[in-house]
Amino acid sequence: MHPNLVPPLDVHEEELKLRRELVRQRPLIKLNAVLFFGEGARSARGCGVDGAGALWSCPGKLRPRHIPQFIIVTGHKQRHRGNMGINGFYQRFDQDFHGRPVYQKIMERRQVKRSLVTETGDLVSRPEDNFIRMWKPRSQEALVLSRRFQTVCEVPTEDADDVMVYPKLLPSKEVWFLFFDDRRGAWCIGPAIGAIEIYAKCFTVEEAIPCNLGEWQVWDIGKKEWYTNKGIRLIKVG
């Protein structure tokens, strides 16, 4: 009865035709979809579990892409905001996450008591140094309950007279991971791969490896808020 009525089947075919023409004229439209949808799509562009960025096909000729074995995270100097453990020496983990490589912190610079440093510059080993603190995931209810008595404060930064920064790298006393999380669209530093509670994040979906990433958002443990830290830098090694 309606003079301008078009059958739904014809509308669908016309829409597909227009979409194919649009993709042909602007190839990046297809690329943007590939960036976000599915493990199979990431594998198709060389960022799957087996490749994790070995080939990068956006768009044009395939180019080999080197994945570094080590990443140095440095530049976080705002001690009054906490989470100084972000800095450190990270090694590539034996598994990937969301189609991109994962790195685990293995070495760090640490403050120690002067009495534990010998005249030759060696550090006296203690039994508690072999204890590594592990993170345990909490439910959403537990997270809400844990915030009931939180207070906002400034993190004290004054050093005691008997404390010094040890000049050599020491094994990490906590478990820290550097990974890409599709749910956030960001590279994250947290206590476990895919953890909900993270310490820092950098929103960049186009980087297949975490190198030269800037504009990091870091969690302020005193004020309980995210802030931008422009000093953090990630440097690939090896």
Side-chain angles (χ1 to χ4, degrees):
M1 297 296 292
H2 198 288
N4 295 325
L5 179 64
V6 180
L9 183 60
D10 295 343
V11 174
H12 180 66
E13 293 180 354
E14 184 67 20
E15 182 181 356
L16 291 178
K17 182 179 178 181
L18 292 175
R19 184 175 295 275
R20 286 194 295 266
E21 182 65 19
L22 187 60
V23 170
R24 186 185 66 82
Q25 296 177 2
R26 301 173 59 188
L28 288 181
I29 294 179
K30 180 178 179 181
L31 170 65
N32 292 336
V34 170
L35 281 173
F36 290 99
F37 296 109
E39 189 67 35
R42 287 188 291 270
S43 299
R45 63 185 170 93
C47 289
V49 175
D50 52 348
L55 294 177
W56 190 251
S57 56
C58 58
K61 184 178 179 180
L62 296 178
R63 302 186 299 274
R65 190 176 187 88
H66 173 68
I67 304 177
Q69 292 299 315
F70 300 96
I71 294 288
I72 296 177
V73 180
T74 183
H76 180 25
K77 301 179 181 179
Q78 302 185 34
R79 298 179 54 192
H80 63 285
R81 295 183 179 270
N83 278 327
M84 295 300 296
I86 292 175
N87 296 329
F89 195 76
Y90 291 71
Q91 183 179 23
R92 188 179 180 188
F93 199 55
D94 57 0
Q95 72 181 57
D96 299 331
F97 185 69
H98 286 174
R100 309 198 192 195
V102 176
Y103 294 86
Q104 182 179 5
K105 180 180 174 182
I106 57 174
M107 306 289 286
E108 65 182 0
R109 297 285 296 275
R110 193 186 311 158
Q111 288 186 334
V112 299
K113 292 185 177 181
R114 297 181 184 273
S115 58
L116 298 178
V117 181
T118 63
E119 296 181 355
T120 59
D122 297 328
L123 186 64
V124 178
S125 61
R126 299 176 300 172
E128 54 266 29
D129 292 336
N130 298 325
F131 175 76
I132 299 179
R133 287 174 287 186
M134 301 294 294
W135 174 80
K136 294 182 179 180
R138 295 181 292 180
S139 63
Q140 293 293 340
E141 180 181 359
L143 290 174
V144 173
L145 293 176
S146 66
R147 299 189 181 103
R148 288 180 300 174
F149 304 107
Q150 284 186 351
T151 57
V152 177
C153 63
E154 289 288 341
V155 179
T157 58
E158 295 183 1
D159 294 333
D161 295 335
D162 61 340
V163 174
M164 61 172 288
V165 178
Y166 192 65
K168 300 179 181 179
L169 289 174
L170 298 174
S172 177
K173 294 199 66 174
E174 294 182 344
V175 180
W176 297 69
F177 284 96
L178 171 62
F179 59 93
F180 182 83
D181 193 343
D182 275 1
R183 297 166 299 182
R184 291 186 173 92
W187 283 94
C188 305
I189 299 178
I193 301 175
I196 299 177
E197 303 173 73
I198 59 175
Y199 313 129
K201 55 188 177 182
C202 181
F203 295 102
T204 169
V205 298
E206 67 276 6
E207 296 294 341
I209 57 176
C211 180
N212 295 328
L213 301 180
E215 297 289 336
W216 279 83
Q217 298 288 319
V218 184
W219 179 253
D220 189 324
I221 64 175
K223 295 183 178 180
K224 307 297 187 298
E225 64 181 9
W226 292 98
Y227 72 95
T228 301
N229 190 320
K230 298 183 178 181
I232 298 178
R233 288 292 179 268
L234 275 64
I235 306 172
K236 61 180 180 180
V237 181

